[in-house]
Amino acid sequence: LVLVTNYRDFRLVGERDGKPVTIESYRLAENESGFWALAAHPQKAVTEQGDRFADFIARCLQRNAPLSDPKDVAWFLASYARDARTQVEQADLPALESIRASLEESLGLKFEGPKGEHFFRSTLVQTLFYGVFAGWVLWHREGAKGKFDWKLAAWHLHVPMIRALYEQLAQASSVRRLGLEESLNLAADVLNRIDRNEFFKRFEDRHAVQYFYEPFLEAFDPELRKELGVWYTPEEIVRYMVARVDQVLQTELGLVDGLGDPNVYVLDPACGTGAYLVEVLRVIAEKQKAKGDDALAAQELKRAMTERVFGFELLPAPFVISHLQIGLLLSDAGAPLA
């Protein structure tokens, strides 16, 4: 690996099939005059580019380091996601409006208020990068071989909202001009470098999508995480609490089916990525399945999800992950979202 620079452009060069190839690059200014204008205002330059440039250098230095720790993986993905967010926040493209409308319609929310535009663009980037990670996890669970391709992530996820988003990005040439493709390619490259055996020893594959979001957000936007209190409950506590509620419903309120009883309504007022909602639905699914008919059980689960299990969430990106989690659960149960 060689880092080549003329002080304005930086290029990490590696080797493929005996020939030099650019792995990734960073540009401080479009031309020489732009570079000297930037150099004339060092504090402004640091504010605008310092963090992203430091991330680029750190990625170059760690390019061949072994990857297995979830925190390291989260840092790499968040680093590329921050690059993508900068590009999206600077863009003013009509195609973003169609993606915004699509996200709002599929999720049943509106990006409004003083921070609406910021939340939309940040959510778009987080959804794309977290969707790629989730697709990689399911690709691994399916016993995949070879290299993972982020463009196929949507087909592993089986969640219509995510699929529609990736299809729009693939087809809209004006959106491609955002330059997101390079960042997503580099993110997929990170996933392909991970020692999967070691990674999934630390993160059980069936829970990786749910519990990886916290380290990802910590690396992507630590101030937002702190400001809005994004802290997730360990799986053991989630399962214990849901089991206790189910038991109380049966033993103290006389509801034989517990959470599976159609008269029981569940609300999580700060659902995050949906840990409690998913566990409640899992318990309901087990109760329905124990009664026999799998097809009927799947439909009863879907009815419970749409009619009596509710979650509120302030941050749009965790809301998307919660939507994704529930979509995967329903798909596995044989009642996928339409």
Side-chain angles (χ1 to χ4, degrees), residues 12-148:
L12 181 65
V13 180
E15 186 182 25
R16 185 178 300 148
D17 300 326
K19 296 180 180 178
V21 59
T22 298
I23 295 169
E24 66 172 299
S25 58
Y26 191 93
R27 173 165 287 178
L28 288 169
E30 289 300 315
N31 50 48
E32 189 173 345
S33 60
F35 172 77
W36 289 115
L38 188 72
H41 302 280
Q43 282 304 117
K44 183 182 176 186
V46 167
T47 300
E48 290 179 355
Q49 304 211 39
D51 289 343
R52 288 180 60 216
F53 181 65
D55 278 358
F56 168 75
I57 296 297
R59 292 195 303 257
C60 292
L61 292 171
Q62 298 178 74
R63 171 71 194 182
N64 285 343
L67 265 182
S68 60
D69 190 297
K71 282 197 171 183
D72 293 337
V73 174
W75 180 86
F76 268 101
L77 293 181
S79 173
Y80 290 123
R82 281 194 297 272
D83 278 354
R85 181 178 61 187
T86 299
Q87 290 168 295
V88 168
E89 285 177 344
Q90 293 170 352
D92 183 21
L93 296 173
L96 277 177
E97 285 305 309
S98 65
I99 287 183
R100 180 178 182 147
S102 175
L103 260 181
E104 289 180 337
E105 182 181 358
S106 61
L107 294 171
L109 57 78
K110 293 284 184 186
F111 294 101
E112 296 174 332
K115 291 188 175 181
E117 187 64 27
H118 167 74
F119 269 135
F120 158 63
R121 296 187 186 220
S122 179
T123 298
L124 172 63
V125 170
Q126 287 189 60
T127 302
L128 285 172
F129 280 80
Y130 210 77
V132 168
F133 171 76
W136 172 78
V137 170
L138 297 182
W139 174 80
H140 165 77
R141 278 174 58 182
E142 291 161 9
K145 305 289 184 187
K147 296 285 185 182
F148 172 73

Side-chain angles (χ1 to χ4, degrees), residues 242-253:
V242 171
R244 287 288 291 129
V245 170
D246 185 52
Q247 185 182 44
V248 166
L249 288 168
Q250 295 175 69
T251 59
E252 296 185 26
L253 296 179

Side-chain angles (χ1 to χ4, degrees), residues 140 194-202:
H140 165 77
I194 295 172
D195 181 333
R196 285 192 269 159
N197 288 333
E198 288 300 315
F199 181 85
F200 286 111
K201 281 180 186 174
R202 308 177 193 214

Side-chain angles (χ1 to χ4, degrees), residues 100-332:
R100 180 178 182 147
S102 175
L103 260 181
E104 289 180 337
E105 182 181 358
S106 61
L107 294 171
L109 57 78
K110 293 284 184 186
F111 294 101
E112 296 174 332
K115 291 188 175 181
E117 187 64 27
H118 167 74
F119 269 135
F120 158 63
R121 296 187 186 220
S122 179
T123 298
L124 172 63
V125 170
Q126 287 189 60
T127 302
L128 285 172
F129 280 80
Y130 210 77
V132 168
F133 171 76
W136 172 78
V137 170
L138 297 182
W139 174 80
H140 165 77
R141 278 174 58 182
E142 291 161 9
K145 305 289 184 187
K147 296 285 185 182
F148 172 73
D149 182 352
W150 71 265
K151 293 179 181 132
L152 301 177
W155 297 101
H156 294 289
L157 291 171
H158 310 299
V159 178
M161 173 272 296
I162 297 282
R163 184 174 297 176
L165 182 60
Y166 279 93
E167 285 174 349
Q168 267 194 298
L169 276 173
Q171 293 167 9
S173 58
S174 54
V175 175
R176 281 204 296 272
R177 288 204 298 272
L178 287 170
L180 294 180
E181 191 164 2
E182 181 183 0
S183 294
L184 287 165
N185 283 339
L186 289 165
D189 184 50
V190 168
L191 295 172
N192 282 319
R193 283 160 47 202
I194 295 172
D195 181 333
R196 285 192 269 159
N197 288 333
E198 288 300 315
F199 181 85
F200 286 111
K201 281 180 186 174
R202 308 177 193 214
F203 254 128
E204 284 186 57
D205 57 1
R206 69 191 180 93
H207 299 305
V209 175
Q210 191 166 316
Y211 289 98
F212 186 73
Y213 183 72
E214 185 179 354
F216 174 76
L217 184 61
E218 182 179 13
F220 179 72
D221 196 337
E223 287 306 310
L224 182 67
R225 176 179 184 248
K226 187 177 178 182
E227 178 189 346
L228 293 171
V230 182
W231 311 98
Y232 294 103
T233 312
E235 178 210 356
E236 294 82 1
I237 294 175
V238 173
R239 297 192 76 154
Y240 171 78
M241 290 174 69
V242 171
R244 287 288 291 129
V245 170
D246 185 52
Q247 185 182 44
V248 166
L249 288 168
Q250 295 175 69
T251 59
E252 296 185 26
L253 296 179
L255 299 175
V256 177
D257 286 337
L259 289 167
D261 190 294
N263 293 306
V264 173
Y265 287 74
V266 177
L267 168 65
D268 184 342
C271 70
T273 56
Y276 283 95
L277 301 180
V278 169
E279 180 60 16
V280 165
L281 289 168
R282 189 190 68 79
V283 169
I284 293 172
E286 283 185 354
K287 290 175 181 291
Q288 293 295 342
K289 199 169 182 181
K291 293 180 179 179
D293 191 328
D294 284 357
L296 184 61
Q299 291 309 313
E300 284 299 319
L301 175 65
K302 195 168 189 177
R303 186 175 293 110
M305 187 276 291
T306 53
E307 295 178 4
R308 58 187 189 86
V309 178
F310 301 91
F312 297 163
E313 174 52 42
L314 183 65
L315 283 174
F319 181 85
V320 172
I321 307 304
S322 185
H323 183 102
L324 170 63
Q325 296 274 25
I326 291 168
L328 293 174
L329 179 80
L330 290 173
S331 180
D332 287 346

